[in-house]
Amino acid sequence: TPNPLAIRLAGSWKASGLRPLLNKHATSPTSTPEVRQAALDAIANFRDRQTLKALSEVTDPDRPSDVRRMGVVAMTKVEIAAAAEIAAQLLSGAGEKDDFTSVFQAFLAQKGGSAALAKALDGKKLNPDVAKLGLKAVRSSVQDAKPLTDALTKAGGLTAAIDRIARTRQGDLLLEVEVESTEQLREALRPEVD
């Protein structure tokens, strides 16, 4: 199997003669995930028109989800807005068992990445578990990503759950106060027995 380190070096050196080989490793169904991600990262290092074309092909909806996910991670280094739109589509179709941690981390690692993803998520619906995974990634980053936190909370429908819990707790508190007040009132109104 190809060496992922050697593949990454080809990208760092921008060895254009190796580009066809990098494209092959990025798209081959026989490539291991490590080799595929190394090839995609190497392609991203070229940062030119061919790069965006190659990464767009990898993130095409006909590709498997894990391949598209890797393509989005690489695309965040080249074209953050395009990567955010593709990520929003992927995240919208994700289930509770899908792990998109690497996607969230890739956006958080890029300047303007969290804002771009937040914008792309506007109006989208996410599985609550996917949204929680994103919120966990935001909490573990050093970035202040309030817009992304808000977008994930809203898209995952987590706001409604938080509001319901708050209203329930508030209702319970008021009920407890009423009960205590009524008991105190009864105690105060009860005639003293000597």
Side-chain angles (χ1 to χ4, degrees):
T1 60
N3 183 336
L5 181 58
I7 292 171
R8 288 183 193 282
L9 283 173
S12 295
W13 294 334
K14 297 183 182 180
S16 58
L18 295 176
R19 202 173 213 155
L21 186 60
L22 296 175
N23 288 339
K24 177 185 168 218
H25 289 310
T27 59
S28 173
T30 60
S31 290
T32 65
E34 294 79 17
V35 167
R36 180 175 290 114
Q37 191 66 64
L40 290 166
D41 290 343
I43 291 167
N45 282 334
F46 285 94
R47 298 180 194 263
D48 58 13
R49 195 176 301 189
Q50 286 180 326
T51 299
L52 196 53
K53 182 179 181 232
L55 294 176
S56 294
E57 288 174 14
V58 173
T59 58
D60 186 85
D62 294 337
R63 298 275 183 183
S65 177
D66 61 326
V67 173
R68 293 181 73 203
R69 193 172 22 224
M70 290 179 188
V72 167
V73 168
M75 192 180 278
T76 61
K77 300 169 189 165
V78 180
E79 178 55 53
I80 200 76
E85 289 300 321
I86 295 166
Q89 291 171 1
L90 270 170
L91 293 169
S92 295
E96 62 188 48
K97 296 194 188 275
D98 292 327
D99 186 1
F100 281 87
T101 303
S102 61
V103 172
F104 291 117
Q105 290 171 339
F107 280 96
L108 290 163
Q110 299 299 321
K111 184 177 180 176
S114 63
L117 185 55
K119 182 179 176 186
L121 287 172
D122 188 37
K124 301 275 193 288
K125 297 282 183 210
L126 299 182
N127 178 300
D129 290 326
V130 173
K132 288 175 190 173
L133 187 68
L135 290 170
K136 184 178 176 183
V138 170
R139 281 193 303 275
S140 67
S141 80
V142 295
Q143 260 194 46
D144 177 24
K146 176 130 176 57
L148 182 55
T149 299
D150 293 344
L152 288 166
T153 302
K154 183 177 178 184
L158 303 175
T159 304
I162 290 168
D163 288 346
R164 244 188 340 270
I165 290 168
R167 279 196 304 275
T168 301
R169 286 190 181 152
Q170 184 180 21
D172 289 349
L173 182 62
L174 290 175
L175 182 61
E176 289 172 14
V177 171
E178 281 181 23
V179 169
E180 286 178 24
S181 297
T182 304
E183 287 175 8
Q184 288 174 354
L185 182 61
R186 281 187 189 139
E187 189 70 22
L189 294 175
R190 198 174 289 149
E192 289 185 27
V193 179
D194 287 18

